[in-house]
Amino acid sequence: MAYVGSRTYIKPGMVWPIIVLNILWTIDSFVLIARTEATTLGMAFVAFQAVVVFAFAVAQIMGIKRQKAEGRFQAA
């Protein structure tokens, strides 16, 4: 992830696995909340973290679309 994050222009094939992992993290976080008996603070922390990670995934998707619209992708 550090390599991808340090690039000015990124190939979509390098970003999609990261996006998928972020979305899976979000889903797993909410499954964890639903299936365990944690404290209210613990559940709130996990939910907050899941929302932030989901926001990262959305931002990554928007970045891919923006670079694609600007024609800044290299052939994958």
Side-chain angles (χ1 to χ4, degrees):
M1 274 195 268
Y3 175 78
V4 174
S6 66
R7 305 294 97 196
T8 303
Y9 302 109
I10 305 166
K11 295 178 184 179
M14 296 173 68
V15 180
W16 281 111
I18 297 169
I19 293 170
V20 169
L21 288 174
N22 284 341
I23 292 171
L24 287 174
W25 181 282
T26 301
I27 293 168
D28 286 345
S29 295
F30 285 113
V31 168
L32 178 71
I33 290 170
R35 298 193 69 183
T36 61
E37 292 183 23
T39 64
T40 303
L41 181 60
M43 289 188 294
F45 178 79
V46 172
F48 175 76
Q49 187 180 36
V51 169
V52 170
V53 171
F54 184 73
F56 288 155
V58 170
Q60 291 161 342
I61 292 168
M62 290 171 55
I64 287 176
K65 289 182 178 183
R66 187 185 74 231
Q67 279 193 339
K68 187 175 182 181
E70 295 173 1
R72 298 193 310 182
F73 277 127
Q74 300 172 358

